[in-house]
Amino acid sequence: MTQTDTRNDLSAVVAADRAHVWHHLSQHKPYETTDPRVYVEGKGLTLWDATGREFLDAVSGGVWTVNVGYGRESIADAVRDQLVKLNYFAGAAGTVPGALFAQRLVEKMPGLSRVYYSNSGSEANEKVYKMVRQISHRHHGGKKSKILYRERDYHGTTIGTLATSGQKQRAEQYGPFPEGFVEVPHCLEYRAQWDTAEYGRRAADAIEEVILREGPETVGCLVLEPVTAGGGVIVPPEGYWPRVQEICRTYDILLHIDEVVCGLGRTGTWFGYQNFGIEPDFVTMAKGVASGYAAIACTVTTEAVFDLFKDDAADPLGHFRDISTFGGCTSGPVAALENMRIIEDEGLLENTQAMGARCLANLRALMDRHPVIGDVRGMGLFCGAELVVDRDTKEPMDEARVQAVVAHCLSQGVIIGATNRSLPGYNNTLCLSPALTVTADEIDRITGAIDAALTAVFG
């Protein structure tokens, strides 16, 4: 921490937080007798809280966001300079950073050409759903309006996106939801639903079965995460993605890839879908686009989709009649431009591949010592370890004991994550997603903390 922060008494700040801030994903009853944690400063992967305590952040801001690490002055400087010049104009017109980032972004995404700005991943996904519905009305006579989503995937916190939540606890008590959203089975081979050697292809075939049940003429879009995030860090098995692409083309279904977590380097490529050779019609992104230095989300699509909204200029309802107020902020795209430069100039995609391999190797070594680890999986710097009571039965570990591992790591000064209030009975996967700048020593410290925590909790 800086000298100023060290000298200052921040108890008044903590008191204000405790009295007035409603924290995300938090039960506040404990704060009646204990103080919430308030973070004050960050540098690289290191955070300091209001008590001066130091932590190594292995979850990039708690929700997989701060891809290039804390304390990036060049991003802050770029944002400051842009805000003085022009802070905002509604997205009905253009701005310099909006135009330049859109150009740089689609250069990384062959086959895609149009960028729609908003301010959160939930909103970016909601835009796709609205586009699909409008395409249904304008070009399919109201048919092909259904949107398919996958069990265990998550696409946002609005009522519309919760209608596509494959994580039942996320959506519980927030219904009723709008109609026309249909679930397809998950593809986690560790918890296999079919007995077959070609599991990836079989899991994709299950999507076709749902399409045929619903009627291909009613289905307009399929939304999937490239790697399932909060549903258990699931990398689809070999053979899955080519078959998914084939199914979508066979039945004229738009393929929407939700890159809110995986985008901008998390898996070791610019986007997670690029690991699998697929060609989506929509790609959405948020978190790592500007590494949390400014709010920005993007819905990116093809020229073919874009053209569907300008076929009749005389029709007052023909264009995409949507706006995102803060999609007009210039801070987001200017921060995103500098964020992208840092990833390129510092070789962070290559570092992600190398450090991700080290992290997975370390977790597999822990698996040899701790029978409680049933499975290790991940891609790039997005890694998970599923905890079980018994490896043979694969009975999931009780959520309270999984959270005890997280708490023990925190007591060692290392912040890790775990699947949280997502799947009843299956919130049992430890999650790691450190900044793309992470070093070998930091990876070893993170997995070392997990080793100590597993020993302390399970013996």
Side-chain angles (χ1 to χ4, degrees):
M1 292 175 66
T2 64
Q3 285 189 338
T4 301
D5 290 332
T6 304
R7 288 197 307 265
N8 285 348
D9 179 3
L10 297 176
S11 58
V13 172
V14 175
D17 182 282
R18 182 172 166 181
H20 304 296
V21 176
W22 194 335
H23 289 279
H24 303 179
L25 295 173
S26 300
Q27 169 55 257
H28 278 248
K29 189 67 176 176
Y31 296 153
E32 292 179 2
T33 54
T34 61
D35 287 336
R37 191 176 306 282
V38 175
Y39 290 109
V40 174
E41 188 175 348
K43 189 69 175 176
L45 274 74
T46 303
L47 285 168
W48 291 269
D49 71 9
T51 70
R53 190 165 173 212
E54 181 178 309
F55 298 88
L56 182 65
D57 180 5
V59 285
S60 296
V63 288
W64 319 318
T65 298
V66 189
N67 282 13
V68 299
Y70 300 102
R72 291 285 188 169
E73 291 187 21
S74 65
I75 301 181
D77 288 344
V79 170
R80 186 264 176 202
D81 292 346
Q82 177 60 48
L83 294 183
V84 172
K85 183 175 291 186
L86 177 68
N87 64 308
Y88 176 86
F89 196 88
T95 65
V96 172
L100 293 180
F101 180 63
Q103 181 181 44
R104 291 283 286 123
L105 182 59
V106 298
E107 287 172 357
K108 308 294 186 189
M109 308 176 75
L112 300 169
S113 61
R114 295 287 174 166
V115 180
Y116 191 95
Y117 289 115
S118 58
N119 71 303
S120 74
S122 299
E123 195 179 1
N125 287 331
E126 191 94 17
K127 303 309 181 190
V128 175
Y129 301 171
K130 291 179 70 175
M131 290 175 185
V132 170
R133 292 289 169 84
Q134 192 169 347
I135 290 169
S136 165
H137 283 285
R138 288 188 52 75
H139 299 282
H140 300 293
K143 296 182 179 180
K144 295 192 80 66
S145 63
K146 290 179 183 176
I147 295 171
L148 307 186
Y149 65 95
R150 186 172 57 195
E151 184 184 10
R152 284 181 171 254
D153 281 9
Y154 175 75
H155 303 293
T157 189
T158 63
I159 293 296
T161 53
L162 279 178
T164 56
S165 179
Q167 299 174 13
K168 299 307 179 188
Q169 282 184 309
R170 296 277 187 202
E172 195 168 330
Q173 300 179 3
Y174 296 120
F177 297 108
E179 297 179 351
F181 299 95
V182 182
E183 188 175 79
V184 302
H186 70 75
C187 60
L188 175 57
E189 189 170 8
Y190 178 68
R191 298 199 172 276
Q193 301 169 84
W194 307 280
D195 184 13
T196 176
E198 295 185 347
Y199 194 83
R201 185 176 179 86
R202 179 64 188 90
D205 285 344
I207 298 174
E208 183 179 43
E209 292 167 5
V210 174
I211 293 168
L212 294 174
R213 183 194 74 203
E214 296 293 321
E217 74 282 359
T218 71
V219 179
C221 182
L222 169 66
V223 55
L224 301 170
E225 291 183 272
V227 175
T228 297
V233 192
I234 303 165
V235 180
E238 184 177 355
Y240 183 81
W241 281 114
R243 179 66 178 131
V244 167
Q245 183 86 76
E246 179 184 37
I247 290 166
C248 288
R249 288 176 174 167
T250 297
Y251 299 107
D252 189 25
I253 293 170
L254 296 168
L255 179 57
H256 167 196
I257 303 298
D258 177 350
E259 293 271 359
V260 170
V261 172
C262 294
L264 275 294
R266 175 59 55 193
T267 66
T269 53
W270 283 108
F271 296 94
Y273 76 87
Q274 293 169 341
N275 292 287
F276 307 110
I278 53 177
E279 299 175 352
D281 300 287
F282 299 100
V283 177
T284 49
M285 64 198 75
K287 298 178 184 295
V289 176
S291 289
Y293 285 84
I296 180 174
C298 304
T299 300
V300 186
T301 190
T302 64
E303 203 69 10
V305 168
F306 178 74
D307 284 346
L308 294 174
F309 292 88
K310 60 172 187 168
D311 60 314
D312 184 359
D315 182 356
L317 301 183
H319 59 283
F320 187 46
R321 302 179 319 282
D322 179 275
I323 189 168
S324 168
T325 297
F326 294 112
C329 289
T330 60
S331 56
V334 80
L337 279 165
E338 181 60 14
N339 185 73
M340 184 176 280
R341 183 200 66 76
I342 289 169
I343 293 172
E344 288 184 317
D345 289 359
E346 297 185 9
L348 296 188
L349 297 183
E350 294 80 7
N351 191 65
T352 296
Q353 294 165 19
M355 292 301 101
R358 186 183 189 95
C359 187
L360 287 171
N362 286 6
L363 290 174
R364 292 186 182 108
L366 292 185
M367 193 174 178
D368 292 338
R369 297 200 296 277
H370 298 281
V372 71
I373 299 179
D375 193 32
V376 169
R377 50 188 182 254
M379 178 173 280
L381 283 169
F382 195 30
C383 307
E386 182 166 349
L387 305 188
V388 294
V389 175
D390 181 272
R391 283 185 181 171
D392 293 331
T393 65
K394 299 182 183 178
E395 178 186 348
M397 182 56 63
D398 179 72
E399 183 175 340
R401 301 193 78 188
V402 177
Q403 289 298 325
V405 174
V406 175
H408 194 281
C409 287
L410 188 67
S411 74
Q412 300 174 69
V414 175
I415 307 170
I416 70 166
T419 46
N420 176 36
R421 304 298 189 272
S422 299
L423 302 159
Y426 290 93
N427 294 312
N428 63 318
T429 301
L430 302 179
C431 302
L432 302 176
S433 55
L436 313 188
T437 58
V438 68
T439 66
D441 286 346
E442 288 169 330
I443 289 290
D444 293 348
R445 182 180 166 198
I446 292 164
T447 54
I450 294 172
D451 187 11
L454 293 174
T455 299
V457 175
F458 300 106

